[in-house]
């Protein structure tokens, strides 16, 4: 047990240190920059902070965010990242929100590595093989295209939960051993899975179905084994843990169901899926951020309709090792076949409508399985492809280690494989500066509308709102509520009689105009439009911005 604890400590500390290096320079200026770009990350800065703020101020209304005012359940317009709420105590205001986001960005990589390492060790990989599995899962080249999407990167709870559940049920290197069952680990595994779902259904939905499928397979295996007696404490742990998981998932699903009912545009159809469905060739193309393959795959990447979602290379070395591991890996044949089946099934589903129009794969799932009607980016099932490939690659390295003499030169040979997998995951990710907090917002009485308003600029407004959490009309999400579309159309002529009357009826008290961001928008030059006779007071503040106080 001392050896296990020592290894767990080293794996945890090592995963954090590696994450800091692989994501550098994320922590160089965490209070003023974000990874990748200033679109999705700025919306997610708000998402990662709102949960903690709401739970400490109005826990019964946590899903009624301060953005998209006056729409209800705006926190459910995106993945919530609610599971990060306990970290809300790490600083306040916009600076605290930015630092928190950058820390979470680094820790998400660390947990992905540690979770996959733990799963590989539980399933019989030696340390070198587990390092390969961890590196393959956490630093696959395709992840570099998602460095602006913390909800996609936050996947470490999936392999960690599977590792805990496997350990708790006595499933390890040689298969199922009921005498090694540990009910406490079962409960812990279910709770980690519930925490993963609390980060969002982009990954949580597929995890729920994976766990359901695993339960069905386990039940079939139990029946095939002649229904051997099961420890009562194990059954109780599954009932308690599974019940907690189901309760959390069900409660979190309620606001999303309300959103789909109130906003039909949130429901995804075949056309939405087709837009993001990758071709099979996409699984062999790296994103442009890859230092090793980015330039080499430029021509192939140009053929992809949506490279950010369709460049899905798991890694050339990982693919090679996984192929070796499938045939001569150290795991039992049945397990290797099972992992190969996971790769095949996840690729087939990930292709979406690119395979036979999706008529026999993803579209029936959208029609008949709860939750799938909100899915449009099927390529994100690459997560399970990568995890299975990483385990097969780990088994290949473990088999090599079993066959080599345990002397230092040969140990270094086996340790070279995880290092090479890590190197293949190196990327160059931009870290742009966050637009500074506008002084005009300090004197703006809520509810407030910030112009210009569109999906891009509203992401910055969401981050700015973390300064003091005013109610703002602006909002950016994966769906655009028709009410927001209508509002932007109605106020395109602001300030004029029609737009001011519309905003007053809506209940907006202040409009903040930022001319420096308005180039090319309907509000370019709006500060020069006359306001004589309008029921408002116009005020210019430092920096050239304008505040319009609407008299009520």
């Amino acid at each position: 047990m001392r050896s296990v604890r020592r290894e767990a400590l080293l794996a945890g500390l090592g995963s954090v240190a590696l994450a800091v290096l692989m994501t550098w320079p994320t922590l160089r200026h965490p209070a003023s920059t974000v990874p990748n770009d200033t679109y999705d990350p700025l919306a997610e800065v708000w998402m990662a902070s709102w949960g903690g703020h709401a739970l400490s101020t109005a826990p019964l209304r946590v899903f009624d965010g301060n953005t998209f005012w006056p729409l209800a359940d705006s926190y459910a317009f995106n993945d919530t990242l609610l599971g990060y709420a306990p970290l809300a105590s790490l600083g306040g205001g916009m600076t605290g929100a930015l630092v928190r986001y950058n820390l979470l960005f680094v820790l998400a990589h660390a947990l992905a590595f540690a979770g996959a390492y733990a799963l590989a060790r539980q399933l019989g990989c030696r340390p070198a093989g587990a390092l390969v599995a961890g590196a393959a899962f956490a630093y696959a080249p395709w992840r570099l295209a998602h460095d602006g999407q913390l909800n996609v990167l936050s996947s470490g709870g999936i392999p960690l939960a599977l590792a805990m559940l496997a350990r708790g049920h006595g499933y390890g290197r040689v298969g199922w051993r009921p005498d090694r069952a540990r009910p406490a680990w079962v409960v812990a595994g279910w709770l980690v899975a519930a925490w993963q779902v609390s980060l969002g259904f982009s990954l949580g939905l597929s995890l729920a179905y994976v766990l359901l499928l695993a339960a069905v397979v386990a039940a079939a295996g139990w029946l095939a084994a002649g229904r051997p007696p099961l420890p009562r404490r194990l059954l109780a742990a599954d009932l308690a843990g599974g019940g907690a998981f189901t309760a959390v998932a069900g409660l979190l699903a309620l606001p999303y169901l309300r959103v789909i009912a109130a906003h039909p545009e949130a429901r995804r159809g075949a056309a939405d899926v087709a837009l993001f469905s990758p071709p099979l060739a996409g699984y062999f193309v790296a994103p442009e951020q890859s230092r090793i393959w980015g330039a080499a795959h430029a021509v192939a990447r140009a053929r992809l309709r949506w490279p950010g979602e369709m460049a899905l290379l798991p890694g050339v070395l990982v693919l090679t090792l996984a192929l070796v591991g499938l045939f001569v890996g150290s795991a039992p044949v049945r397990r290797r076949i099972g992992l190969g089946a996971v790769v095949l099934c996840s690729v087939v589903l990930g292709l979406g409508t690119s395979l036979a129009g999706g008529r026999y794969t993803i579209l029936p799932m959208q029609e008949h399985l709860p939750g799938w009607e909100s899915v449009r980016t099927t390529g994100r099932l690459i997560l399970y492809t990568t995890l299975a490939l990483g385990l097969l690659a780990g088994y290949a390295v473990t088999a090599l280690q079993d066959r080599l003499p345990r002397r230092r030169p040969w140990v270094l040979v086996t340790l070279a494989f995880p290092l090479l997998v890590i190197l293949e995951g190196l990327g160059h990710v931009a870290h742009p500066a966050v637009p500074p907090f506008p002084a005009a917002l300090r004197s703006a009485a809520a509810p407030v509308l910030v112009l210009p308003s569109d999906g891009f600029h509203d992401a910055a407004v969401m981050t700015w709102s973390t300064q003091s959490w005013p109610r703002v009309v602006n909002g950016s999400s994966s769906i655009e509520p028709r009410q927001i579309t209508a509002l932007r159309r109605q106020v395109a002529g602001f300030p004029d009689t029609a737009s001011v009357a519309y905003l007053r009826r809506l209940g907006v008290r202040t409009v903040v105009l930022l001319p420096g961001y308005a180039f090319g928008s309907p509000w370019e030059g709006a500060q020069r439009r006359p306001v004589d006779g309008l029921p408002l007071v116009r005020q210019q503040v430092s920096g050239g911005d304008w505040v319009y106080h609407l008299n009520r």
Side-chain angles (χ1 to χ4, degrees):
M1 287 303 299
R2 283 195 298 270
S3 176
V4 171
R5 294 191 186 100
R6 187 183 304 113
E7 182 180 351
L9 177 62
L10 290 174
L13 294 177
S15 64
V16 172
L18 179 62
V20 172
L21 292 174
M22 294 292 286
T23 60
W24 191 259
T26 297
L27 296 184
R28 178 187 291 171
H29 302 293
S32 58
T33 64
V34 289
N36 202 62
D37 58 41
T38 54
Y39 178 41
D40 282 337
L42 293 188
E44 294 198 335
V45 167
W46 175 85
M47 290 156 53
S49 296
W50 170 256
H53 168 77
L55 288 176
S56 63
T57 55
L60 297 181
R61 300 182 62 85
V62 64
F63 281 94
D64 291 329
N66 69 310
T67 59
F68 288 101
W69 184 89
L71 301 181
D73 295 314
S74 61
Y75 194 35
F77 289 175
N78 276 310
D79 281 342
T80 64
L81 300 180
L82 184 61
Y84 291 140
L87 297 179
S89 59
L90 299 179
M94 178 176 161
T95 298
L98 289 172
V99 171
R100 185 180 309 113
Y101 177 85
N102 283 299
L103 285 174
L104 290 172
F105 178 80
V106 174
L107 292 176
H109 287 81
L111 183 58
F113 185 95
Y117 178 90
L119 179 60
R121 288 292 281 145
Q122 176 61 31
L123 297 183
C125 285
R126 290 188 179 274
L131 288 172
V132 166
F137 184 71
Y139 301 107
W142 67 264
R143 283 182 176 265
L144 293 166
H146 295 274
D147 274 348
Q149 298 170 307
L150 182 60
N151 61 325
V152 177
L153 298 177
S154 298
S155 57
I158 294 176
L160 184 59
L162 295 177
M164 290 178 168
L165 289 171
R167 186 174 183 83
H169 287 90
Y171 188 81
R173 182 176 64 87
V174 297
W176 183 41
R177 293 281 301 274
D179 57 304
R180 293 189 176 183
R182 299 292 184 271
W185 281 103
V186 172
V187 174
W190 283 112
L191 293 180
V192 170
W195 173 80
Q196 177 69 55
V197 170
S198 74
L199 297 178
F201 282 102
S202 286
L203 303 183
L205 177 68
S206 59
L207 174 60
Y209 279 99
V210 165
L211 292 175
L212 177 61
L213 180 61
V216 171
V217 171
W222 175 72
L223 290 173
R227 296 186 295 179
L230 298 174
R232 291 185 178 181
R233 291 180 60 201
L234 182 63
L235 292 174
D238 270 318
L239 288 174
F245 174 85
T246 303
V248 170
L251 289 173
L252 291 174
L254 291 177
Y256 286 92
L257 294 175
R258 294 197 297 265
V259 167
I260 290 177
H263 306 280
E265 58 273 18
R267 193 181 300 273
R268 310 301 186 184
D272 299 294
V273 176
L275 181 63
F276 292 98
S277 293
L280 182 60
Y283 286 81
F284 303 95
V285 179
E288 62 179 339
Q289 295 91 339
S290 172
R291 289 188 181 274
I292 304 299
W293 302 113
H297 292 181
V299 175
R301 193 167 50 249
R303 300 191 185 102
L304 301 178
R305 183 173 57 254
W306 200 278
E309 295 287 353
M310 297 180 179
L312 300 174
L313 179 70
V316 174
L317 179 58
V318 170
L319 285 170
T320 304
L321 289 173
L323 187 62
V324 174
L326 180 63
F327 292 100
V328 296
S330 61
V333 173
R334 185 178 299 178
R335 185 178 304 171
R336 286 184 273 135
I337 293 175
L339 289 173
V342 171
V343 172
L344 179 62
C345 291
S346 58
V347 169
V348 167
L349 292 177
L351 289 172
T353 58
S354 295
L355 180 64
R359 292 187 299 273
Y360 310 107
T361 55
I362 194 67
L363 296 185
M365 293 173 65
Q366 280 197 322
E367 293 174 5
H368 302 294
L369 295 183
W372 284 95
E373 68 272 16
S374 63
V375 174
R376 65 175 181 178
T377 48
T378 57
R380 291 179 185 172
L381 292 173
I382 184 66
L383 189 79
Y384 297 96
T385 310
T386 308
L387 184 58
L389 289 172
L391 290 172
L392 286 171
Y395 286 134
V397 173
T398 297
L400 176 63
Q401 194 172 13
D402 287 340
R403 288 168 171 79
L404 292 176
R406 297 186 183 182
R407 294 193 293 271
R408 182 172 297 177
W410 296 112
V411 171
L412 294 178
V413 167
T414 57
L415 290 179
F417 286 104
L419 178 61
L420 291 174
V421 173
I422 290 170
L423 290 176
E424 194 175 3
L426 288 173
H428 48 83
V429 179
H431 285 75
V434 175
F437 182 81
L441 280 175
R442 299 187 188 278
S443 58
V448 58
L449 168 65
V450 180
L451 298 176
S453 175
D454 54 50
F456 179 79
H457 290 99
D458 282 7
V461 177
M462 295 175 79
T463 287
W464 293 335
S465 76
T466 62
Q467 182 66 24
S468 56
W469 302 107
R471 291 171 293 167
V472 295
V473 180
N474 307 74
S476 178
S477 72
S478 58
I479 64 170
E480 183 175 297
R482 60 187 184 277
Q483 295 91 334
I484 293 297
T485 304
L487 180 142
R488 290 169 180 162
R489 184 172 58 250
Q490 291 281 350
V491 302
F494 184 88
D496 61 6
T497 302
S499 61
V500 171
Y502 173 80
L503 291 173
R504 281 163 56 85
R505 288 195 303 271
L506 190 64
V508 175
R509 297 181 61 188
T510 311
V511 175
V512 172
L513 177 64
L514 308 176
Y517 297 99
F519 179 77
S521 76
W523 301 279
E524 182 179 0
Q527 71 276 15
R528 295 188 293 272
R529 296 171 185 170
V531 297
D532 297 337
L534 295 177
L536 56 79
V537 175
R538 181 171 62 180
Q539 172 191 6
Q540 186 175 20
V541 298
S542 60
D545 299 331
W546 295 80
V547 179
Y548 295 80
H549 303 277
L550 306 186
N551 296 331
R552 301 184 64 186

